[in-house]
Amino acid sequence: MAVLNIEFKASTSKLAELEALLQQHDPLFIGEDHQVDTYFNVPSGRLKLREGNIENALIHYEREDTAGAKASRVLLYHHKPDKALKDILIKTLGIKAVVDKRRRIYFISNVKFHFDTVDGLGTFVETEAIDKDGSIGKEKLQAQCDQYAALFGFTDEDYCSVSYSDMVLQNVP
């Protein structure tokens, strides 16, 4: 399934406060997931196998490494936990990086919120405005991201331009 996201990731030392702020807007709480994302060596974009107690998916995405909200083209395959899939990916592609995180997941309409504590990196908020079928459009997705970035009070210095895997590889918190 191909999906268009406009998304941002921001570093924060106020994770609990920002989560409480979002809760004032009556989001749907999906749960807390312990996720291990294994990134593989691929010629373009990023390919990761997500293993969690809520979300399990093979995800390929292409996105610019710029700060702030940006477009991400995502191919997503939901799977049941299966050691054989991971073994095949490791054998054929090799591991690039592993990201281990605790993630609290919420939705408001088509907007997904992650409140992340990432081993070795710190705490972050990710917001994804998601258009699964092309009915919302890039402009509305961008406006949704802008709305929630303003709600959380993020400034340019808070935004992360790269993925968690890049941060792990750079050993940058």
Side-chain angles (χ1 to χ4, degrees):
M1 156 171 76
V3 177
L4 172 64
N5 287 356
I6 302 291
E7 60 190 59
F8 67 81
K9 177 188 349 268
S11 178
T12 182
S13 60
K14 302 183 290 185
L15 194 66
E17 293 168 43
L18 295 178
E19 186 174 358
L21 179 62
L22 182 72
Q23 289 170 343
Q24 295 172 14
H25 296 267
D26 198 29
L28 173 64
F29 179 59
I30 303 301
E32 182 171 328
D33 204 2
H34 175 221
Q35 298 179 345
V36 176
D37 290 345
T38 303
Y39 287 77
F40 299 96
N41 298 304
V42 292
S44 66
R46 293 177 178 95
L47 179 68
K48 66 184 171 187
L49 180 66
R50 170 159 297 150
E51 298 170 289
N53 52 299
I54 296 174
E55 295 180 338
N56 289 279
L58 182 62
I59 305 163
H60 180 270
Y61 64 100
E62 295 180 301
R63 177 184 72 215
E64 290 183 50
D65 289 337
T66 57
K70 54 199 156 269
S72 184
R73 298 259 176 224
V74 180
L75 292 172
L76 185 64
Y77 173 72
H78 292 283
H79 66 89
K80 293 184 178 175
D82 184 353
K83 184 179 178 322
L85 175 60
K86 186 173 187 177
D87 290 345
I88 290 168
L89 292 165
I90 290 170
K91 182 154 182 76
T92 58
L93 300 173
I95 295 174
K96 182 176 183 178
V98 176
V99 175
D100 191 323
K101 64 183 173 289
R102 294 261 174 210
R103 168 170 278 179
R104 294 180 56 80
I105 305 167
Y106 294 87
F107 271 94
I108 296 177
S109 184
N110 65 299
V111 183
K112 185 178 186 185
F113 302 88
H114 304 145
F115 293 84
D116 293 343
T117 302
V118 184
D119 286 0
L121 297 180
T123 52
F124 303 85
V125 173
E126 281 189 348
T127 301
E128 299 177 357
I130 304 166
D131 186 350
K132 291 183 178 181
D133 61 8
S135 64
I136 298 173
K138 191 174 181 178
E139 292 76 22
K140 182 170 181 183
L141 298 174
Q142 182 68 52
Q144 289 173 317
C145 278
D146 293 345
Q147 171 191 347
Y148 289 110
L151 174 71
F152 294 135
F154 290 134
T155 65
D156 290 345
E157 295 77 36
D158 298 321
Y159 292 115
C160 303
S161 61
V162 296
S163 75
Y164 292 140
S165 66
D166 296 323
M167 290 183 214
V168 166
L169 290 170
Q170 297 166 3
N171 200 16
V172 175

